[in-house]
Amino acid sequence: MIGLGPSLAIAAAVLFGLSTPLAKLLVADLSPWMLAGTLYLGSGLGLGAFRLGRGLTRPGKRGERNLRGAEWGWLLAAVAAGGIAGPVLLMIGLTSTAASTASLLLTLEGVLTALLAWFVFQEGFDRRLVAGMAAIVAGAVALSWPGDGAAPSLATLSLGGLFAGWGPPAIIGACLMWALDNNLTRKVALADPVDVAMIKGLAAGSVNVALALALGDSLPGPALMAATMAVGLLGYGVSLALFVLALRWIGAARTGAYFSTAPFVGALAALALFREPVTIPLLIAAALMGLGVWLHLTESHAHEHDHSDLDHDHPHVHDAHHQHEHDGPLPAAAEAAHSHPHRHRPLRHSHPHFPDAHHSHTH
C-alpha cells in the first residue's frame, strides 16, 4: 500500500505533468513568460478564492495553522529563489542554449534538490534511495533527448561547448534556485499548504507577467486568460499544495524524486491529446522511472532513534508521537486532525519513518 506522503507527491506530479500538454495548446497564442505568469497567477488567485470560501463556509474548522514567525523568512527566501531568480536565470539561459541541451539540463533540478536535502539540510538517505533517484533522473534524461533520436553534438556536450557563454550555466543556476526553493519550502511545510501555494503563486505570477510586459508582450484576452488560469489552478496551485503536504511527510529529496516523474505523465497525456507516437525514449523512460518509483515505494527505513524535547504547532492526530494533554476541549474525535501548540517529551523507540517534522535526526 502506498503511504500518504508518496501518494501526495505522485498526485502533485500527475497534476503538474498534465498541465504541460494542456499549456502547449495555449502557448501558440502566448509568449513563454506570459504563459508562465498567467499559470502562476491562476494558481494564486484560485487558491485565494478557495481560502476565502473555506473561511466563510467553515469558520473555526480549518484544521491547519497560519504561517508564523521565522516561517515568513523561509517562505520569502523560497519565493525569491524559485519565483524570481529561477525564472530570470532560465530566461537568460534559453536565449543562447539549444532546446535539446536546455531540456537535458533542466533534469538537474531533481538531482540538486536531493543533493541539497542530503548534504546541506541533513536529510537521511541510503543506497536504495540514491539508486531510485538515479533511475528517475535517467528516465527524465531519456525523455529530454532530442526527438530525432540522435545524440546532441559533441560541440554541445563537451565542456568547452557546454559552458561557452552564459546560457547553460544560467540554466543550471535556475535549477539550483528551484532546488533551493524546494528545500526552503520544506521549512514551512507545517503551515497551511494552501497559504504557502497561494503566496508562491501570486509572487511568481506577478514576476513572470512583469517580465513578459517588460519584453513587449500584452495581456491575453479574457477567454484565453481564463483558460490559462484554470490550467494553472490545477497544475500549479493544487499541485503545489499537494507538494507542500508531501514535503511535510517525506522530506524534500523523496518528494523531489517522485515529482520528477511529471514529464513522463505529460508525455503520456500528449499521446492522447496530440496523437504523438510511442517512441523508444518514452519506453526507456517508463522502465527507468518505474524502477525508481518502485525502489522508493519499497523503502523501509527503521532504526532506534531519539526524540528530544520539542515544542511546535502543526495538524496532527493522537498517534505514537502525540500523546499530550489538551488545555481546551478535545476535537469531536480524538483521531480527527487538529492543530495547536504542543510539546513532545523525550522518547526513544524504533519504527519505519521518513524525514518528517518529527524525524530530522542525523544518521
Side-chain angles (χ1 to χ4, degrees):
M1 181 178 179
I2 301 178
L4 178 60
S7 299
L8 293 167
I10 291 172
V14 168
L15 286 175
F16 183 75
L18 290 175
S19 72
T20 302
L22 292 175
K24 186 176 180 180
L25 295 172
L26 306 168
V27 74
D29 300 307
L30 294 174
S31 72
W33 300 110
M34 184 59 73
L35 176 62
T38 49
L39 286 169
Y40 276 117
L41 279 179
S43 72
L45 294 174
L47 290 177
F50 169 79
R51 191 187 188 286
L52 179 61
R54 182 181 61 183
L56 293 174
T57 59
R58 301 183 63 194
K61 297 182 179 180
R62 185 177 176 189
E64 298 281 350
R65 66 164 176 81
N66 294 323
L67 289 154
R68 60 182 58 169
E71 289 178 336
W72 281 104
W74 292 115
L75 181 57
L76 291 175
V79 168
I84 299 175
V88 170
L89 286 170
L90 181 62
M91 180 183 68
I92 294 171
L94 290 177
T95 59
S96 58
T97 306
S100 59
T101 302
S103 295
L104 290 170
L105 289 173
L106 286 171
T107 63
L108 287 174
E109 180 186 346
V111 177
L112 293 173
T113 295
L115 291 177
L116 286 177
W118 294 335
F119 297 109
V120 177
F121 294 92
Q122 301 298 304
E123 280 191 15
F125 67 97
D126 54 27
R127 287 178 294 178
R128 185 184 190 88
L129 190 64
V130 173
M133 183 71 207
I136 291 171
V137 171
V141 169
L143 278 178
S144 303
W145 209 253
D148 57 7
S153 66
L154 290 177
T156 301
L157 289 182
S158 66
L159 287 178
L162 185 60
F163 292 101
W166 290 102
I171 293 177
I172 293 172
C175 291
L176 179 60
M177 290 298 99
W178 289 322
L180 181 60
D181 175 8
N182 293 336
N183 280 277
L184 291 174
T185 301
R186 190 201 171 197
K187 296 288 189 179
V188 299
L190 295 184
D192 190 336
V194 173
D195 285 358
V196 173
M198 176 187 68
I199 293 169
K200 293 182 74 172
L202 290 173
S206 300
V207 168
N208 280 280
V209 168
L211 284 172
L213 293 175
L215 292 171
D217 291 339
S218 57
L219 292 173
L224 183 57
M225 175 74 85
T228 308
M229 293 177 74
V231 173
L233 173 58
L234 293 176
Y236 287 64
V238 177
S239 174
L240 180 53
L242 294 173
F243 186 91
V244 174
L245 281 173
L247 289 173
R248 179 186 296 178
W249 287 97
I250 59 176
R254 290 164 178 82
T255 301
Y258 288 120
F259 196 76
S260 295
T261 62
F264 178 69
V265 175
L268 288 181
L271 295 179
L273 286 174
F274 304 108
R275 300 189 180 278
E276 295 182 358
V278 177
T279 63
I280 296 299
L282 182 63
L283 295 176
I284 294 174
L288 289 169
M289 288 187 169
L291 172 62
V293 170
W294 175 78
L295 286 169
H296 279 228
L297 289 177
T298 54
E299 172 194 12
S300 181
H301 180 78
H303 61 89
E304 196 167 44
H305 55 276
D306 290 303
H307 294 273
S308 58
D309 269 325
L310 175 64
D311 290 289
H312 63 175
D313 181 358
H314 66 95
H316 61 277
V317 295
H318 288 178
D319 55 17
H321 298 93
H322 299 90
Q323 295 298 321
H324 49 260
E325 299 294 331
H326 285 76
D327 294 331
L330 284 169
E335 296 80 11
H338 55 287
S339 178
H340 60 86
H342 57 276
R343 183 176 186 181
H344 294 268
R345 299 295 182 182
L347 174 67
R348 183 174 182 83
H349 62 175
S350 176
H351 64 95
H353 59 275
F354 293 109
D356 58 22
H358 302 96
H359 299 93
S360 57
H361 51 263
T362 56
H363 294 78

